[in-house]
Amino acid sequence: MVAGNWKMNTAQDEAKALAKYIVVNTQDIKNGEVVLSPPFVYLFAVSDAIKGSHIKLSAQNMYFEDKGAYTGEISPIMLKDAGCQYVIIGHSERRKYFNETDENINLKLKKALSTGLKPILCVGETLEEREKDITEFVVGIQIKKALYGIQDISNIVIAYEPVWAIGTGKNATPEEAEEVHFFIREMIRKKYGNTADKLLILYGGSVTVDNIGSLIEMKDIDGALVGGASLKGESFVGIIKKVAEKR
Ligand code: 13P
């Protein structure tokens, strides 16, 4: 899977043009999933632009109620209505800037699943945590709390995004990423058995067309969640092609 998280970028025309470029230039790629995650207000426009193609739509966040007096929030039902099949949950930018807690993330995951949306759960350590050598401890707690009370993880995707690698141009080395991906898969195996083998674990953080090739060689790296490089059609398509070659 290659997912493009556009974050708070693009204008409507750009969003439509980018989506169409990706549709046209990935038509021959049949293996694997390509997911676009535009800002909320462009979901309908992008949904329209990718209609009839193999590309899937994702939101960047959601609230954990169906409807009601929650000014400014978007419900999972609305996301489905807009054509989403996926929703990113617990992105580190939401944890950092919008006080997203593990408890909220758990509620959102449960709600997404019961609404029929596939969550892309983001986890990852800060630089300080990595330097203290507590990466696995931090990621382990994030996953444990996020999945609390969830029995079936077959529709969940996990994205390992080390915070220090996001938007910094300093990606984790394939070996550094693989170590955490392996840890995540084995942690999932302990609780959910062999579903762990089917779990998609994406790497995110300064992924480019130049570094994706060596990342995707790793046994437990099943794809990428791409920020900056997903905003340029050419580089995103380049990443998709490199992932498709390896799988
Ligand atoms: P960058 O690819 O810009 O580092 O962003 C990664 C990310 O946060 C994807 O969700």
Side-chain angles (χ1 to χ4, degrees):
M1 175 185 284
V2 179
N5 175 9
W6 296 358
K7 308 191 180 182
M8 200 173 73
N9 293 296
T10 70
Q12 185 173 183
D13 285 350
E14 281 173 79
K16 284 199 256 188
L18 182 54
K20 282 195 180 135
Y21 179 93
I22 294 159
V23 169
V24 171
N25 290 283
T26 58
Q27 264 166 355
D28 308 336
I29 301 167
K30 298 288 178 242
N31 55 334
E33 194 108 302
V34 176
V35 180
L36 302 183
S37 192
F40 283 135
V41 289
Y42 302 139
L43 284 172
F44 278 97
V46 171
S47 177
D48 206 39
I50 62 177
K51 199 167 276 163
S53 79
H54 55 293
I55 312 269
K56 305 282 182 353
L57 191 64
S58 172
Q60 298 175 14
N61 181 33
M62 55 167 256
Y63 194 53
F64 51 76
E65 296 289 351
D66 289 338
K67 61 176 184 173
Y70 304 105
T71 303
E73 292 296 321
I74 302 283
S75 94
I77 295 176
M78 295 167 186
L79 298 182
K80 284 204 80 180
D81 194 25
C84 290
Q85 294 188 19
Y86 289 90
V87 57
I88 296 172
I89 291 182
H91 193 280
S92 64
E93 286 150 14
R94 297 216 55 87
R95 294 177 192 256
K96 182 173 167 195
Y97 302 127
F98 305 102
N99 304 321
E100 190 89 271
T101 63
D102 287 320
E103 289 69 29
N104 271 9
I105 289 165
N106 174 249
L107 291 173
K108 290 181 177 190
L109 277 182
K110 286 177 175 159
K111 192 68 188 178
L113 290 171
S114 67
T115 312
L117 286 167
K118 296 179 181 176
I120 301 173
L121 166 67
C122 299
V123 296
E125 81 288 1
T126 62
L127 182 60
E128 198 187 353
E129 289 161 345
R130 175 158 283 262
E131 282 171 350
K132 281 191 194 148
D133 209 13
I134 55 170
T135 297
E136 291 184 2
F137 174 75
V138 169
V139 170
I141 289 193
Q142 286 173 340
I143 292 179
K144 197 171 166 193
K145 289 191 169 177
L147 299 182
Y148 180 77
I150 294 175
Q151 312 305 336
D152 179 6
I153 56 143
S154 53
N155 284 321
I156 297 180
V157 175
I158 295 182
Y160 168 57
E161 299 204 310
V163 177
W164 49 271
I166 296 178
T168 57
K170 189 179 179 296
N171 62 291
T173 64
E175 293 71 24
E176 280 170 335
E178 170 61 19
E179 205 178 330
V180 183
H181 282 233
F182 176 76
F183 165 77
I184 293 172
R185 200 179 304 283
E186 293 316 303
M187 173 181 177
I188 294 294
R189 190 184 309 285
K190 278 193 197 124
K191 187 159 172 213
Y192 298 96
N194 289 342
T195 338
D197 292 322
K198 296 209 185 91
L199 173 71
L200 291 181
I201 310 177
L202 312 181
Y203 168 77
S206 296
V207 169
T208 63
V209 72
D210 296 323
N211 61 30
I212 188 63
S214 52
L215 285 160
I216 201 68
E217 295 276 357
M218 297 289 128
K219 184 169 85 40
D220 293 294
I221 301 185
D222 305 309
L225 179 54
V226 187
S230 73
L231 291 168
K232 295 212 173 67
E234 206 178 318
S235 62
F236 192 58
V237 168
I239 292 169
I240 294 166
K241 288 190 171 158
K242 290 210 170 165
V243 170
E245 268 168 30
K246 299 283 175 209
R247 294 282 139 178

